[in-house]
Amino acid sequence: MALFEEEIDSKPMVSSLSKWSNYTNLTQGAQEHEEADENEGSKKKTIKKPQMGTFMGVYLPCLQNILGVILFLRLPWIVGTAGIVESLAMVCLCCLCTFLTAISMSAVATNGMVPAGGSYYMISRSLGPEFGGAVGLLFYLGTTFAGAMYILGVIEVLLIYIEPKSAIFVAESMEDEVDAMLNNMRVYGTCFLVFTSLVVYVGMKYVNKLALVFLTCVILSILAIYAGVIKSAFEPPEFPVCLLGNRTLKNHNFDKCLKTEIINNVTVTTELWNLFCSGPELNATCDEYFHVNKVTTLQGIPGLTSGVISDNMWPNYGPLGMLIKNRRLESTSVADNSKDIYKPYVLNDIATYFTLLVGIYFPSVTGIMAGSNRSGDLRDAQKSIPTGTILAIATTSSIYVSCVVLFGACIEGVVLRDKFGESVKGNLVIGTLSWPSPWVIVIGSFFSCCGAALQSLTGAPRLLQAIARDGIIPFLQVFGHGKANGEPTWALLLTAGICELGILIASLDVVAPITSMFFLMCYMFVNLACAIQTLLSTPNWRPRFKYYHWALSFLGMSLCLAIMFISSWVYAIIAMVIASFIYKYIEYRGAETEWGDGIRGMSLNAARYALRNLEESPPHAKNWRPQLLVLLNMDTDLVVKHPRLLSFTTQLKAGKGLIIVGNVLKGTYLKKYSEAKKAEQNIRSSMTAECTKGFCHVVVSSNLREGFSHLIQLSGLGGMKPNSILMAWPTTWKQSNSVQSWKNFIETVRETTAAEHALLVAKNVDSFPTNQDRMGEGTIDVWWVVHDGGMMILIPFLLRQHKVWRKCKIRVFTVAQEHDNSIKMKKDLQMFLYHLRLDTQVEVVEMPDSDISAFTYDKTLVMEQRSQMLNNLALSKMEQEREAQLIHDRNTGSHAAPIKGTTTPEQVHVKEKSHRKRNGNVDVSDLSQTPNQKNVSWMHSAVKLNELVVSKSKGAHLVLLNMPGPPNDREGDANYMEFLEVLLEGLNQVLLVRGGGREVVTIYS
């Protein structure tokens, strides 16, 4: 392969690649953070061959993460409160959301490898670092708060169902029970958090070993529920419920559901009597409702064939403190119900409504990304992730749907609505249905919550570590470090601290909706990532999972957004604000990364669509704004000569519209390639320093004239092309050794006019204000001599939008000749500017016709003689210097002793009588001694106008002048430069403006 031998170093042979599976499209020396981690240290880590299949690697982990605390502790209460119909709607809505998300996730996950970070990696590489970082942090917070939710579930099972007597805080009265319970949850929750954090810190291997045990507990608990349902069809378990009238009673402090009983033929009161009466005596004063209503006992678990399903079909929502009642029983109402909350009734501990229950239930369907997070451990991730995840969702959805129906068909409604099982002697409600014992569910739910908490506290720090190692959020980089074996110690500490915040809330019903928001945000962006990639159809979008469609992804995204606002519009807005803040922070301070994400692809498509639909014809005057091509000069070290030109660009544009900064290097591209890149880098640095938002383009050309011409012709694309050229005045054109310095300038003026572009030329640009300066009380003076389409008026208005020029006032001067009506001119101009909604001061300056002075004749003659010599003689460097000194001496003499009247000026004394010419010698006496009358007229206008401008605007912060066009005859180019020099003499900060030949302002709305 000698044909390719010179490229072997940069482009290795295909046969030399050891494994195609390790192929990367990264440039040489570039690494993703996952590959960099593998190469840390002196030796590369030994990567074990993945062995896990679909069942063990995806299906069971998803099953363990989906089934958990909500199923055991809240689903019966949700069924009793929302009814079977609305509960099924809730379950189907949430399961459909996760199912559609799983389809999108399968497409994204099978479009290449998914290393550490799981869902964060998928979103960030699909939507870019800004979205990835924002959603990744929200998913991290969701996982962390999920850990707090599981820990609260553990403590709830422990303190209510396993060992109620272990409570540290004991309520002295019924009204203090809630506060005491919350404090107990906080203390025990904090202790359990410390314990689980230590387990995670000791090592991941212990968590993995316990995972199978916890999963076994979950499966056995679910099997016990189904076994109990089957047994209830022919032998329902005995769990009597005591009701007073139609009100459900807490069965804690009495054994018999009786007011009185007969013992040895004597009627005696029971423990229940003592709860409602002032004493055990039969004539004691009792609660009125207790007195007029009888006590009834119902079977708490009537069984599958009891027909109770009809009573549980519809919702029973209510406010905080509402009594749990059985509508089928009769009840005699009483007038005073104010003390009911202090009686042993079962009450609503929170206000219930459908949207709240959706937020509480949704965490029970999360956990679908457990398989994608383990992609590195799978034999065939692209096959296992879709299959295992979708099967797990199908299995858990079937379990949830069946449980909703079976709970409603087997359990009495008042028991279902009894969240903590107080009516069945403090038993877990779902445990009363299970077989062979309620303790199977209690122990199973306890260990299920323990396992889920450990998984959350294990996964969240690793997710944060993946985000930190990407370097997109600078202040998080410290959390990318850990122990020698890579365990994220610092990230674990932060996770434990955030988890503690959730524990301090101490309410499972409050933490669950918060967790839902974070997961829903993540799922929403997974769907968005799949939809964008599908619609863009980028060449790299080739997922092995084929059963996806952008419409399904959009439906999933819409469902996620809808559920967020259904659950809690307040939490939804807060989550979005947090995501937006993180997004803007990453955009402003984050590291610059290029991951080939979908957002960049979408931006390219949007830009292409906009450019294709943007007409190439000039925009309407209402939409016209200067789209600038800034022509910069650089010194021999490739440093920008006039950085203030970029400052002025920023002040004029304020980040709006198109800015292209161009420069030309002389030479050939092959030889000047590295210099062009360096020049472009230096220009970008200067643009950043001057806050100039735009594009940079450096052209290499055989000569500068052609290079600038190429820039003017080719800059921009489609309808987004520059319409204005900004450049600096060539201050050293007289001292330059080559006439090309000023000829290039004049040719640029001509080409700008030919291209119908506006032209802005800044003189003394190095004295212009910086972006940090603030121009005080002063003026921007506009000398509007000829109408240029309104550019002279538009430029000062745009400048005043910037804080540098905001305090300056605009003064508009126009020149009237003797035959003009100055008063009418001023009135018309004021009216015109009023209709343009511009706040300006107008002044009409009269320039009377006067005789041409001898000074003007003299100056014109000197100018013509110099131009004639430069055009006719081929001067060496030394001769050019002598000629320049001669002209300087002549000018000095003319200023010192101006000639009065209209007499012919003195003859120029030339020290050297002859010059070397191509074909002989020429004497200075051969030069014309009579100036051209047209040149005299031009010089006279320049001198007189300069006198007016200097007299009126010498103290202005900025002076805008109409720029006259160059002569049609190129032999007068040098004279043209002299005319402009005379026009600008004595002025400091000047902007010459030449319109593009079209109107850029309008008086119409």
Side-chain angles (χ1 to χ4, degrees):
M1 290 297 175
L3 194 61
F4 299 96
E5 63 182 4
E6 294 184 358
E7 300 182 2
I8 295 299
D9 293 337
S10 60
K11 300 177 180 179
M13 300 293 293
V14 173
S15 58
S16 67
L17 298 177
S18 59
K19 290 184 180 179
W20 275 100
S21 59
N22 293 329
Y23 173 75
T24 175
N25 66 339
L26 295 174
T27 56
Q28 299 297 318
Q31 288 181 318
E32 288 276 18
H33 73 82
E34 295 83 7
E35 297 178 9
D37 295 342
E38 294 175 0
N39 291 287
E40 287 181 353
S42 58
K43 295 182 179 180
K44 189 175 180 178
K45 296 179 182 178
T46 302
I47 304 175
K48 295 181 180 180
K49 186 177 179 179
Q51 296 293 335
M52 301 182 75
T54 302
F55 186 75
M56 291 296 296
V58 180
Y59 180 75
L60 289 182
C62 286
L63 214 63
Q64 181 183 2
N65 280 267
I66 295 174
L67 299 173
V69 61
I70 302 297
L71 170 64
F72 298 120
L73 300 184
R74 291 294 182 270
L75 188 58
W77 172 71
I78 290 174
V79 174
T81 304
I84 295 175
V85 174
E86 291 192 10
S87 296
L88 285 175
M90 188 186 310
V91 170
C92 292
L93 179 68
C94 296
C95 290
L96 178 62
C97 175
T98 55
F99 177 73
L100 294 175
T101 303
I103 291 176
S104 300
M105 183 197 69
S106 299
V108 177
T110 58
N111 189 51
M113 297 297 296
V114 181
S119 57
Y120 158 71
Y121 186 92
M122 289 189 293
I123 295 174
S124 61
R125 269 53 175 183
S126 297
L127 296 181
E130 293 87 1
F131 277 108
V135 180
L137 277 181
L138 288 178
F139 189 59
Y140 162 75
L141 292 174
T143 307
T144 304
F145 272 92
M149 181 182 70
Y150 295 132
I151 291 175
L152 291 174
V154 170
I155 305 307
E156 184 174 309
V157 173
L158 176 67
L159 294 180
I160 296 179
Y161 307 113
I162 296 179
E163 190 56 42
K165 296 181 179 179
S166 61
I168 298 175
F169 299 92
V170 179
E172 297 180 357
S173 59
M174 294 187 65
E175 53 266 30
D176 296 332
E177 287 182 357
V178 175
D179 292 335
M181 185 62 187
L182 293 178
N183 290 329
N184 285 318
M185 297 282 281
R186 293 183 180 106
V187 173
Y188 277 94
T190 302
C191 295
F192 190 79
L193 172 63
V194 173
F195 171 74
T196 51
S197 300
L198 289 175
V199 172
V200 173
Y201 176 78
V202 169
M204 178 69 183
K205 59 182 179 179
Y206 298 104
V207 178
N208 290 334
K209 288 179 180 179
L210 292 172
L212 189 58
V213 177
F214 297 142
L215 179 60
T216 303
C217 293
V218 174
I219 295 174
L220 290 177
S221 299
I222 293 173
L223 292 176
I225 293 172
Y226 285 113
V229 169
I230 295 172
K231 183 177 179 295
S232 71
F234 53 87
E235 187 181 345
E238 288 292 333
F239 282 99
V241 179
C242 186
L243 293 94
L244 177 62
N246 62 358
R247 300 178 181 180
T248 308
L249 298 176
K250 295 180 181 178
N251 196 350
H252 286 311
N253 301 318
F254 60 92
D255 295 326
K256 298 177 182 180
C257 188
L258 297 170
K259 291 184 179 181
T260 60
E261 61 179 338
I262 300 175
I263 300 177
N264 298 327
N265 294 324
V266 178
T267 301
V268 296
T269 59
T270 63
E271 294 176 343
L272 180 60
W273 179 281
N274 294 331
L275 295 176
F276 287 90
C277 299
S278 59
E281 299 82 11
L282 291 175
N283 59 353
T285 302
C286 296
D287 180 76
E288 184 179 0
Y289 187 85
F290 179 79
H291 180 70
V292 299
N293 286 278
K294 62 181 180 178
V295 177
T296 309
T297 301
L298 290 179
Q299 178 66 340
I301 312 295
L304 188 61
T305 59
S306 63
V308 73
I309 187 173
S310 61
D311 296 330
N312 294 329
M313 292 296 291
W314 308 110
N316 290 276
Y317 301 121
L320 170 67
M322 186 187 78
L323 302 175
I324 305 299
K325 300 178 181 180
N326 188 311
R327 297 175 181 176
R328 291 184 288 110
L329 297 179
E330 294 181 358
S331 173
T332 303
S333 60
V334 296
D336 186 13
N337 296 316
S338 60
K339 296 183 179 180
D340 288 346
I341 60 174
Y342 304 114
K343 302 298 180 182
Y345 296 122
V346 180
L347 310 170
N348 274 355
D349 64 327
I350 58 173
T352 55
Y353 39 91
F354 179 79
T355 57
L356 172 70
L357 299 186
V358 171
I360 294 175
Y361 172 75
F362 189 82
S364 67
V365 297
T366 60
I368 61 174
M369 293 183 175
S372 64
N373 292 341
R374 298 173 179 233
S375 60
D377 300 326
L378 301 175
R379 278 197 301 269
D380 187 357
Q382 297 187 354
K383 176 183 177 182
S384 297
I385 290 176
T387 305
T389 304
I390 293 175
L391 282 177
I393 291 175
T395 302
T396 53
S397 299
S398 301
I399 291 174
Y400 284 128
V401 170
S402 62
C403 283
V404 167
V405 176
L406 294 176
F407 290 166
C410 296
I411 305 176
E412 179 63 45
V414 293
V415 178
L416 286 174
R417 298 198 296 277
D418 182 5
K419 183 187 293 185
F420 302 111
E422 294 173 307
S423 62
V424 287
K425 294 187 177 294
N427 282 292
L428 184 62
V429 172
I430 196 173
T432 60
L433 180 63
S434 65
W435 182 86
S437 169
W439 283 100
V440 175
I441 302 297
V442 173
I443 300 302
S445 61
F446 179 82
F447 284 110
S448 170
C449 294
C450 288
L454 281 173
Q455 292 290 341
S456 297
L457 289 177
T458 302
R462 281 159 177 76
L463 176 60
L464 181 62
Q465 186 181 50
I467 298 173
R469 287 186 175 181
D470 266 345
I472 59 175
I473 305 178
F475 70 83
L476 289 182
Q477 290 184 3
V478 65
F479 300 106
H481 307 292
K483 294 193 294 186
N485 60 355
E487 292 295 319
T489 306
W490 294 108
L492 177 61
L493 287 175
L494 180 62
T495 302
I498 298 175
C499 189
E500 175 65 16
L501 297 178
I503 292 174
L504 292 177
I505 296 175
S507 174
L508 184 65
D509 300 322
V510 176
V511 175
I514 298 175
T515 306
S516 299
M517 290 303 133
F518 294 133
F519 280 116
L520 282 165
M521 283 286 289
C522 180
Y523 295 168
M524 181 175 68
F525 281 98
V526 169
N527 284 293
L528 177 63
C530 180
I532 287 177
Q533 296 282 21
T534 304
L535 291 174
L536 290 177
S537 299
T538 54
N540 191 55
W541 178 247
R542 302 184 298 274
R544 290 194 177 275
F545 180 77
K546 303 298 182 183
Y547 306 101
Y548 66 93
H549 192 271
W550 65 266
L552 294 177
S553 299
F554 269 116
L555 178 59
M557 184 182 69
S558 302
L559 275 178
C560 290
L561 188 62
I563 294 174
M564 286 178 64
F565 281 91
I566 286 174
S567 303
S568 173
W569 65 269
V570 176
Y571 287 165
I573 292 176
I574 292 174
M576 289 182 173
V577 168
I578 294 174
S580 301
F581 175 78
I582 299 171
Y583 178 94
K584 296 304 293 183
Y585 177 82
I586 296 174
E587 186 180 52
Y588 177 67
R589 291 292 302 274
E592 295 182 3
T593 54
E594 173 53 60
W595 291 331
D597 52 85
I599 293 296
R600 183 172 290 271
M602 187 170 64
S603 300
L604 291 173
N605 269 16
R608 183 194 64 191
Y609 176 82
L611 286 172
R612 191 173 64 242
N613 288 275
L614 188 64
E615 296 181 359
E616 292 198 25
S617 59
H620 192 274
K622 297 177 185 178
N623 301 321
W624 197 94
R625 67 166 59 244
Q627 315 288 3
L628 289 179
L629 170 61
V630 184
L631 300 181
L632 276 185
N633 292 324
M634 308 188 78
D635 58 21
T636 55
D637 295 328
L638 301 180
V639 177
V640 175
K641 280 187 177 181
H642 305 295
R644 296 287 180 91
L645 197 63
L646 295 175
S647 302
F648 184 74
T649 303
T650 302
Q651 296 159 21
L652 182 62
K653 297 291 290 179
K656 299 180 177 65
L658 176 68
I659 297 177
I660 298 177
V661 181
N663 177 252
V664 178
L665 295 180
K666 187 176 181 180
T668 60
Y669 186 69
L670 291 178
K671 293 181 179 180
K672 295 284 188 176
Y673 171 78
S674 59
E675 292 184 20
K677 291 298 180 183
K678 181 181 178 182
E680 188 170 331
Q681 183 178 358
N682 291 345
I683 292 176
R684 290 188 188 279
S685 299
S686 297
M687 292 174 67
T688 302
E690 302 297 338
C691 303
T692 306
K693 298 179 181 179
F695 307 97
C696 172
H697 192 40
V698 176
V699 172
V700 180
S701 181
S702 57
N703 63 74
L704 298 179
R705 173 68 255 124
E706 291 182 358
F708 284 117
S709 178
H710 295 159
L711 276 176
I712 294 173
Q713 295 178 60
L714 301 178
S715 293
L717 184 64
M720 284 294 291
K721 289 184 176 180
N723 56 27
S724 306
I725 311 297
L726 175 62
M727 58 192 303
W729 171 261
T731 55
T732 60
W733 70 274
K734 285 186 176 182
Q735 291 78 31
S736 177
N737 296 329
S738 173
V739 295
Q740 287 302 119
S741 63
W742 52 267
K743 283 191 174 183
N744 287 343
F745 173 79
I746 297 177
E747 289 302 313
T748 301
V749 176
R750 286 195 173 99
E751 291 187 358
T752 302
T753 304
E756 296 183 345
H757 291 347
L759 178 63
L760 308 176
V761 180
K763 185 186 179 186
N764 298 329
V765 68
D766 291 331
S767 65
F768 276 40
T770 65
N771 293 326
Q772 289 72 39
D773 294 335
R774 299 293 180 270
M775 306 304 291
E777 296 293 337
T779 62
I780 300 175
D781 286 358
V782 180
W783 284 83
W784 200 1
V785 180
V786 295
H787 183 60
D788 55 358
M791 275 289 291
M792 294 288 291
I793 298 299
L794 185 62
I795 295 300
F797 169 77
L798 294 176
L799 283 175
R800 287 194 68 227
Q801 307 307 305
H802 197 274
K803 54 190 175 183
V804 173
W805 303 92
R806 190 162 296 158
K807 294 183 178 181
C808 294
K809 295 181 180 179
I810 301 175
R811 294 194 302 178
V812 178
F813 294 90
T814 188
V815 179
Q817 297 180 348
E818 288 186 350
H819 60 274
D820 293 326
N821 187 337
S822 301
I823 298 176
K824 188 175 185 304
M825 283 180 63
K826 182 175 182 179
K827 184 177 180 181
D828 292 344
L829 185 56
Q830 285 176 334
M831 183 58 66
F832 177 68
L833 295 175
Y834 173 79
H835 287 308
L836 287 177
R837 290 88 63 198
L838 296 174
D839 184 15
T840 61
Q841 300 176 8
V842 177
E843 185 173 345
V844 177
V845 180
E846 294 185 358
M847 188 171 72
D849 292 335
S850 59
D851 293 336
I852 300 174
S853 65
F855 170 74
T856 303
Y857 272 108
D858 186 44
K859 198 169 185 66
T860 307
L861 180 60
V862 172
M863 175 190 72
E864 289 182 349
Q865 291 177 348
R866 180 180 184 277
S867 300
Q868 188 175 352
M869 280 189 284
L870 292 179
N871 288 333
N872 295 334
L873 304 178
L875 301 176
S876 65
K877 182 177 180 180
M878 182 180 297
E879 290 168 335
Q880 291 179 31
E881 291 176 354
R882 291 176 179 175
E883 182 64 12
Q885 183 63 40
L886 174 67
I887 300 301
H888 175 72
D889 294 342
R890 185 70 185 88
N891 285 340
T892 303
S894 62
H895 277 282
I899 302 175
K900 298 181 180 179
T902 57
T903 59
T904 304
E906 294 180 357
Q907 189 178 18
V908 179
H909 298 284
V910 183
K911 292 183 179 180
E912 291 196 5
K913 294 291 184 179
S914 62
H915 295 271
R916 186 176 291 110
K917 197 177 180 183
R918 289 187 179 90
N919 57 355
N921 298 329
V922 60
D923 194 275
V924 72
S925 60
D926 295 333
L927 298 177
S928 173
Q929 302 299 312
T930 304
N932 182 281
Q933 192 61 34
K934 181 179 180 181
N935 289 339
V936 172
S937 177
W938 282 32
M939 182 64 73
H940 176 67
S941 297
V943 170
K944 299 301 290 182
L945 185 57
N946 173 260
E947 290 176 356
L948 289 176
V949 175
V950 170
S951 64
K952 295 286 185 178
S953 302
K954 190 174 182 60
H957 290 321
L958 181 66
V959 178
L960 277 73
L961 275 169
N962 283 115
M963 182 178 183
N968 296 327
D969 184 6
R970 281 179 166 76
E971 292 182 357
D973 285 355
N975 297 340
Y976 174 70
M977 296 298 293
E978 289 282 0
F979 293 143
L980 293 181
E981 193 72 52
V982 171
L983 181 63
L984 303 177
E985 188 176 358
L987 299 174
N988 185 20
Q989 296 172 180
V990 184
L991 185 67
L992 290 173
V993 181
R994 184 168 175 78
R998 62 184 311 274
E999 294 293 330
V1000 299
V1001 293
T1002 178
I1003 64 175
Y1004 300 104
S1005 61

